[in-house]
Amino acid sequence: MRCPYCGNGDTQVKDSRPTDDGSAIRRRRVCPDCGGRFTTFERVQLRELTVVKKSGKRVAFDRDKLARSIHTALRKRQVDPERVERMISGIVRQLESMGEDDIPTDVIGKLVMEGLKQIDEVAYVRFASVYRDFKEARDFEGILREMGEEE
Ligand SMILES: [Zn+2]
């Protein structure tokens, strides 16, 4: 596994153990070149999914990309990382068990919104505002006010 900090291709596994729900193996790695530390997850992949965008463009489903957009929504929020991992795994499992290899972006967006709503309302609004492509900042502020949150 390549070091995300310096690009060195030869990093070492320091610790390896299953996640709390047993759905993945979590590995703590360290880079001998730069000392960078990072974590990888090993998971079962049931099927190859394709994301179909609104434009009709098709791209291979990428769990990391999904995770990144969720982590962006959760930035600076105090949420247990294992809980977030479970949520992401739950979304992927739902997508994999839909029986379709082609998944419209809408379906993914809705699952993410449902998931975020359960764990953090501010992250939910952040994600929803991007996903729904709110035309006016007013819409966004209105929802935050409804929830009694201030940004
Ligand atoms: Zn490194």
Side-chain angles (χ1 to χ4, degrees):
M1 181 69 64
R2 191 188 301 277
C3 172
Y5 305 107
C6 73
N8 169 30
D10 190 25
T11 54
Q12 293 163 1
V13 175
K14 284 284 159 197
D15 179 51
S16 184
R17 64 189 170 89
T19 53
D20 287 349
D21 67 352
S23 71
I25 305 291
R26 181 191 182 107
R27 293 200 171 86
R28 294 189 191 282
R29 294 173 182 265
V30 64
C31 171
D33 275 13
C34 73
R37 288 165 187 279
F38 60 102
T39 304
T40 57
F41 291 90
E42 179 184 308
R43 296 185 187 78
V44 174
Q45 183 174 351
L46 294 178
R47 49 201 303 167
E48 297 285 340
L49 298 174
T50 301
V51 179
V52 183
K53 300 190 174 188
K54 280 183 193 130
S55 63
K57 200 180 162 201
R58 300 158 57 86
V59 291
F61 173 74
D62 181 348
R63 188 190 198 279
D64 291 341
K65 214 183 271 178
L66 174 71
R68 271 200 300 281
S69 66
I70 290 170
H71 285 295
T72 300
L74 283 162
R75 196 163 42 209
K76 292 187 182 165
R77 303 294 300 166
Q78 299 289 330
V79 180
D80 177 8
E82 289 253 355
R83 220 178 148 201
V84 178
E85 268 306 306
R86 273 201 300 279
M87 180 197 124
I88 296 168
S89 295
I91 290 171
V92 175
R93 222 168 293 140
Q94 286 178 73
L95 293 172
E96 287 176 335
S97 57
M98 279 175 178
E100 296 282 341
D101 291 339
D102 291 355
I103 312 281
T105 46
D106 283 26
V107 173
I108 300 173
K110 272 174 201 144
L111 288 177
V112 173
M113 287 203 295
E114 277 166 26
L116 284 175
K117 209 171 187 175
Q118 308 296 319
I119 62 176
D120 190 82
E121 291 225 309
V122 170
Y124 161 71
V125 172
R126 284 178 185 162
F127 185 88
S129 69
V130 174
Y131 169 69
R132 288 179 179 152
D133 191 19
F134 287 172
K135 295 283 182 287
E136 302 194 27
R138 266 208 305 281
D139 297 344
F140 187 54
E141 285 163 16
I143 290 184
L144 285 175
R145 251 197 318 275
E146 270 172 36
M147 295 181 342
E149 285 283 347
E150 283 174 28
E151 279 285 76

